[in-house]
Amino acid sequence: MHNDTLPKKTAFVFAGGGSFGAIQVGMLHSLAAHGVAADMVVGSSVGALNGAYYASDPTIAGVQRLEAIWRKLHRRDVFPLTWRTMLGFLYQRDFLISSEGLRELIDEYLPYRNLEDAKIPVHIVATDILTGGTVVLSHGSAAQAVIASTAIPAAFAPVHFNDQYLVDGAVSSNTPVKVAVEHGATRLIVLPTGYACALEKPPSGAVANALHALTLLIVRQLMTELQALDHTIDYFVVPPLCPLTGSPYDFSQTAKLIDRAVKSTDAWLADGGLDRPGLHAQLHTHRHARQHA
């Protein structure tokens, strides 16, 4: 029998979303500044990167260091796309972009090497490219786990890890709510990215479109998983930014996204967001009327 007197075990659940991961950093800043912390972290795709870093120092100081990293990120740091890589894709026909840029970021900034060495438990979600099944990584190389969880199919090569070939966690579980519950969480704070706002036209470019397609899975998977949770699980969805336009392949707006997310989450908390478990209306996909001059 569920005992409501027992303290809730809180998980921060980080969704995927490319450069829109900057939004999560702003959400984290606000949560940490208000004294809201996690007992564990579950992350998929770019959420794996943010979650792994947060787990190294789940304080406002740690979040501010993550924020400083994001504010100086450029697309080439994560997606080093050059004519050489394009030619390599034409000849090899297996992947487009090297993961070395991401590995260098992890090696430079993540202060621990194995997932089990984080200050709080961290669970990274990837996808087995051969079976389509969800794979949860809680031990072993943090860099390998994050790179596997962010390996967009066709853009990045699958990562051979623990005798499996792993790709982006968003393919099977973009917002891994069930994973958090399976690891003992009874209170979920979900940090989404986008899109709830429908675009007027597709993004430009192959990688941008691939990222856009993956981020569209967020709302469907998130709403389905949350609605299927046992009634004993409290969940809160930090409101995503609305309106949100642009591409998760564009890193030129990260500072603005962080600042917007801080203000948006501050307002949500001030309005009692963490006093009302349930689904936020902004998660429903919607259109915005086109603005004319």
Side-chain angles (χ1 to χ4, degrees):
M1 180 179 293
H2 178 71
N3 187 346
D4 289 330
T5 64
L6 293 176
K8 292 284 188 177
K9 191 173 185 178
T10 299
F12 282 180
V13 184
F14 293 81
S19 62
F20 290 157
I23 296 169
Q24 293 173 337
V25 180
M27 293 172 174
L28 278 177
H29 181 116
S30 177
L31 290 168
H34 286 82
V36 182
D39 300 304
M40 73 169 74
V41 162
V42 181
S44 179
S45 199
V46 73
L49 179 62
N50 283 336
Y53 193 94
Y54 172 79
S56 72
D57 185 5
T59 66
I60 185 62
V63 173
Q64 287 172 330
R65 285 191 288 272
L66 176 60
E67 185 178 336
I69 296 168
W70 268 94
R71 286 182 181 277
K72 62 182 182 181
L73 272 184
H74 299 280
R75 181 194 297 173
R76 63 180 178 272
D77 297 323
V78 182
F79 301 106
L81 193 59
T82 65
W83 282 110
R84 180 177 295 178
T85 59
M86 290 289 289
L87 290 172
F89 175 69
L90 292 175
Y91 285 106
Q92 297 175 18
R93 296 187 182 278
D94 55 358
F95 67 94
L96 183 61
I97 304 169
S98 168
S99 61
E100 284 307 305
L102 183 58
R103 179 177 290 277
E104 289 175 5
L105 281 173
I106 296 169
D107 288 343
E108 181 176 357
Y109 293 112
L110 194 65
Y112 60 90
R113 290 294 170 256
N114 293 313
L115 294 172
E116 61 268 30
D117 297 329
K119 289 187 178 179
I120 60 174
V122 54
H123 308 290
I124 303 300
V125 179
T127 302
D128 186 329
I129 193 62
L130 301 182
T131 68
T134 296
V135 177
V136 182
L137 305 170
S138 307
H139 301 87
S141 170
Q144 284 289 89
V146 171
I147 290 170
S149 186
T150 56
I152 304 165
F156 293 95
V159 176
H160 190 207
F161 190 45
N162 292 345
D163 295 324
Q164 294 172 301
Y165 289 92
L166 305 178
V167 296
D168 201 308
V171 174
S172 62
S173 187
N174 199 5
T175 310
V177 169
K178 291 181 181 178
V179 173
V181 174
E182 288 168 357
H183 283 80
T186 52
R187 178 175 181 255
L188 311 179
I189 299 179
V190 181
L191 286 74
T193 52
Y195 293 92
C197 307
L199 297 182
E200 292 184 358
K201 60 182 180 179
S204 176
V207 177
N209 269 284
L211 270 169
H212 176 65
L214 287 175
T215 56
L216 288 178
L217 295 173
I218 293 175
V219 175
R220 288 183 180 273
Q221 290 180 341
L222 175 56
M223 293 178 69
T224 299
E225 289 193 14
L226 289 176
Q227 290 166 356
L229 287 176
D230 187 273
H231 72 280
T232 61
I233 306 297
D234 290 338
Y235 66 83
F236 307 84
V237 181
V238 183
L241 293 185
C242 177
L244 178 65
T245 58
S247 165
Y249 186 52
D250 176 15
F251 283 77
S252 67
Q253 302 297 314
T254 52
K256 291 181 180 178
L257 292 176
I258 291 170
D259 294 338
R260 283 185 62 196
V262 172
K263 293 178 181 178
S264 173
T265 308
D266 281 347
W268 177 68
L269 290 170
D271 192 42
L274 284 179
D275 299 325
R276 299 189 300 272
L279 196 60
H280 197 281
Q282 275 184 268
L283 285 175
H284 293 276
T285 305
H286 56 277
R287 292 184 178 276
H288 290 270
R290 186 170 183 176
Q291 299 295 315
H292 297 279

